[in-house]
Amino acid sequence: MRPLKDIWSELSKPLPAGLGAGDIGPAITQKEVYELSYILHRSEFTHLAEGRANAVFRIKEPKDPAIPMGFFRGTLLRVPKATPDVTPCDYETLQDFQEKFVDVHVGRQHIVPQLLVRISLVVASSLNAKRDSALRAKGVKGDQSTIQAGYAMLVEDMGPSPDYLALEFKPKWLVQSPMAPKDATRCRTCAREALRLDKLRRKGTKISTPVCPLGLLHENRAVVMSTIDRLAPKWSERDRERLADAFRDSGVLERLRELQEEGDSGDALFTKPYDARFGLSMTLRDCSCFVRMPVDAESPVIIKLADVDKKNWQEKQSYWQNSHNDLVDDGWYRGEENPPVETACVLRLDYCLEKGLEIPPEFRARLKH
């Protein structure tokens, strides 16, 4: 069995030029899939995190002379959760979508690599026990989802380590929605955040100003740095500058923006939500960006995207359309709510700069105005 770190390294290289979806074969052999599944069967697990549809675990390999110590170092196990009345994720479809669609269009070097494996009933039972214990410790009650035997994924770990700082965020919509009002003062992300924050505020929850993703691709370096200041407030100035350089040099955010625009140039949400390129746009509007900042200033910054799962447009169509209508009809794009929710949107910043008005406070430290 090849070391997993070697497989992750290979899967982090760009696909050969001219290679199409039909030319891409499995990342590992069936023999390696069997070997990995066997090692997992004898391993121990620690619950790490979970979302609505998946749970993530750390893995400790068994004590076996045939298995190198630290075999699973830098690797996590991601499993689907089965919930009553909810169709669980089809991991075969998700893996195929990433390998033959996302990797091809976005660039394999920009995507967190993953491998499709199988877990046994014994492993599933162990994972459920670890998860139940972790949820109880957090005070979570009434969760009816479970983990079942079947397909799972091994995923490269993009978290912190002694040699790396780590950052995770969602880039969301890196360009304005093509169906936003022409006189919008907020981008799609900030409009949605204003609606979400207003609901929390009405419940008495303390809210904070969200980060506008448009700032990451702004032509003004000071705006980029102001945005990174808020994404990584505990990082040093040197590391924030390194991150700004890495975003620029990798081109990953520019590529995200291009694909979001290409797949949704007009009213595709209402006229062709089934279109594969529109589906990719929606996937890339909900993906996560992971950054690993090496402590060694001479080592490269690692930036990769994850959560690039295929969207089920039949299940999501009504939700997407209703969300759009709510943002437009209720004035969230124009900031018409009362009392106002501060979003520090870059669209508003650009308007203030153009008109010579006072700029949002979140940008004043970097922008001399």
Side-chain angles (χ1 to χ4, degrees):
M1 181 73 216
R2 287 180 290 165
L4 282 170
K5 63 182 180 63
D6 292 348
I7 297 176
W8 298 146
S9 178
E10 181 64 28
L11 292 178
S12 296
K13 297 176 182 178
L15 288 167
L19 199 66
D23 304 315
I24 299 172
I28 58 175
T29 66
Q30 280 300 311
K31 180 176 181 291
E32 288 176 314
V33 171
Y34 174 81
E35 290 174 344
L36 282 171
S37 299
Y38 175 72
I39 298 173
L40 283 171
H41 183 80
R42 302 172 59 206
S43 297
E44 297 179 5
F45 307 93
T46 303
H47 181 268
L48 180 62
E50 64 182 83
R52 184 182 61 83
N54 308 279
V56 180
F57 295 82
R58 293 197 185 280
I59 320 165
K60 183 179 180 181
E61 67 280 348
K63 293 180 180 179
D64 186 325
I67 302 171
M69 184 178 296
F71 180 77
F72 285 115
R73 186 177 298 125
T75 299
L76 301 173
L77 178 67
R78 181 191 186 208
V79 294
K81 299 190 301 185
T83 305
D85 301 322
V86 175
T87 304
C89 296
D90 177 358
Y91 268 31
E92 282 186 290
T93 299
L94 298 186
Q95 182 72 7
D96 191 66
F97 179 73
Q98 174 164 322
E99 290 180 347
K100 298 182 179 179
F101 204 65
V102 177
D103 286 356
V104 171
H105 289 286
V106 179
R108 187 174 68 174
Q109 70 275 20
H110 297 312
I111 307 299
V112 176
Q114 60 190 32
L115 296 171
L116 191 67
V117 294
R118 295 189 70 95
I119 59 172
S120 65
L121 183 59
V122 170
V123 171
S125 297
S126 174
L127 296 176
N128 279 314
K130 295 291 185 180
R131 177 174 177 264
D132 290 346
S133 177
L135 293 181
R136 281 197 304 271
K138 294 178 180 179
V140 177
K141 298 179 180 179
D143 186 287
Q144 295 181 302
S145 57
T146 60
I147 297 164
Q148 299 177 347
Y151 284 110
M153 287 179 185
L154 293 177
V155 184
E156 183 183 28
D157 185 3
M158 293 293 292
S161 70
D163 296 324
Y164 286 91
L165 300 176
L167 172 68
E168 176 187 355
F169 69 97
K170 282 186 173 289
K172 289 295 184 179
W173 296 55
L174 289 169
V175 65
Q176 178 65 297
S177 167
M179 293 193 297
K182 299 302 181 185
D183 58 346
T185 58
R186 285 183 178 132
C187 69
R188 171 57 169 76
T189 302
C190 287
R192 178 67 183 84
E193 281 297 288
L195 170 59
R196 184 183 68 84
L197 292 172
D198 183 65
K199 291 179 179 178
L200 290 175
R201 182 177 60 182
R202 292 177 186 277
K203 295 178 180 178
T205 304
K206 185 178 179 180
I207 62 175
S208 58
T209 305
V211 179
C212 177
L214 301 187
L216 292 171
L217 288 169
H218 203 276
E219 60 185 13
N220 188 330
R221 172 83 174 201
V223 177
V224 176
M225 288 304 302
S226 294
T227 306
I228 291 175
D229 288 344
R230 301 182 60 220
L231 283 176
K234 295 183 180 180
W235 285 15
S236 68
E237 178 69 9
R238 182 196 70 169
D239 286 342
R240 280 180 264 179
E241 291 280 2
R242 291 169 66 196
L243 180 54
D245 292 340
F247 277 140
R248 179 198 62 212
D249 296 341
S250 73
V252 61
L253 297 181
E254 283 85 353
R255 185 58 182 151
L256 271 187
R257 180 172 62 183
E258 290 171 5
L259 291 168
Q260 288 179 6
E261 285 187 288
E262 288 175 10
D264 186 14
S265 57
D267 60 352
L269 172 60
F270 289 92
T271 59
K272 49 180 181 179
Y274 52 83
D275 182 77
R277 296 304 291 266
F278 175 72
L280 179 61
S281 291
M282 297 306 289
T283 288
L284 298 180
R285 287 164 172 163
D286 196 36
C287 68
S288 297
C289 182
F290 287 86
V291 177
R292 299 194 84 203
M293 175 66 64
V295 175
D296 179 5
E298 301 303 315
S299 297
V301 180
I302 302 170
I303 305 173
K304 294 182 181 181
L305 306 175
D307 301 327
V308 288
D309 295 343
K310 185 177 183 179
K311 299 295 184 183
N312 185 331
W313 70 268
Q314 286 126 325
E315 290 186 0
K316 293 284 189 178
Q317 179 181 6
S318 295
Y319 170 74
W320 289 338
Q321 293 172 350
N322 291 336
S323 295
H324 167 76
N325 290 334
D326 289 344
L327 296 179
V328 173
D329 296 343
D330 296 339
W332 296 104
Y333 273 110
R334 299 185 182 92
E336 296 174 346
E337 73 279 356
N338 187 26
V341 176
E342 179 55 60
T343 54
C345 184
V346 169
L347 291 186
R348 175 64 183 172
L349 170 68
D350 287 340
Y351 178 81
C352 292
L353 291 173
E354 179 185 349
K355 300 297 183 181
L357 303 175
E358 185 176 38
I359 65 175
E362 289 76 13
F363 300 99
R364 292 174 192 166
R366 297 277 185 179
L367 285 166
K368 308 301 181 184
H369 185 65

